[in-house]
Amino acid sequence: MDKTELSCQMSFYPLGTERIDETVNEVLKIIESSGLRHQICHMSTTLWGNPSQITQLIERIITSMNQTRFVLQITISNHCGCTSDG
């Protein structure tokens, strides 16, 4: 049985829009509705979950933002901060 939990730090940068706050807030709503444990900070958001949950969330963000040009910077670790108790 695979109990791998990942930590994922992501930063979303909308390009070529004056609606930066509105666009970033749309992405944050997607993250908050994912059910994943997460911590939103000023420059990035950290998430914790299994590989399938993380990749599904990334795909959902990409699909939902397909009308927006963006950079989505992602760092994933199976070691850093990957404990199920906090």
Side-chain angles (χ1 to χ4, degrees), residues 15-30:
L15 304 174
T17 182
E18 294 180 14
R19 304 177 15 201
I20 292 172
D21 289 345
E22 185 178 324
T23 305
V24 169
N25 285 333
E26 289 177 42
V27 173
L28 292 175
K29 285 179 187 176
I30 294 169

Side-chain angles (χ1 to χ4, degrees), residues 37-75:
R37 190 166 50 105
H38 62 278
Q39 180 178 19
I40 298 170
C41 297
H42 294 290
M43 298 294 292
S44 67
T45 297
T46 303
L47 311 130
W48 296 269
N50 68 48
S52 176
Q53 292 171 311
I54 299 288
T55 56
Q56 286 174 11
L57 174 61
I58 292 167
E59 184 175 350
R60 185 169 170 214
I61 291 169
I62 291 168
T63 302
S64 296
M65 295 290 110
N66 67 353
Q67 298 297 316
T68 303
R69 295 184 317 155
F70 64 86
V71 172
L72 180 59
Q73 183 177 357
I74 302 169
T75 304

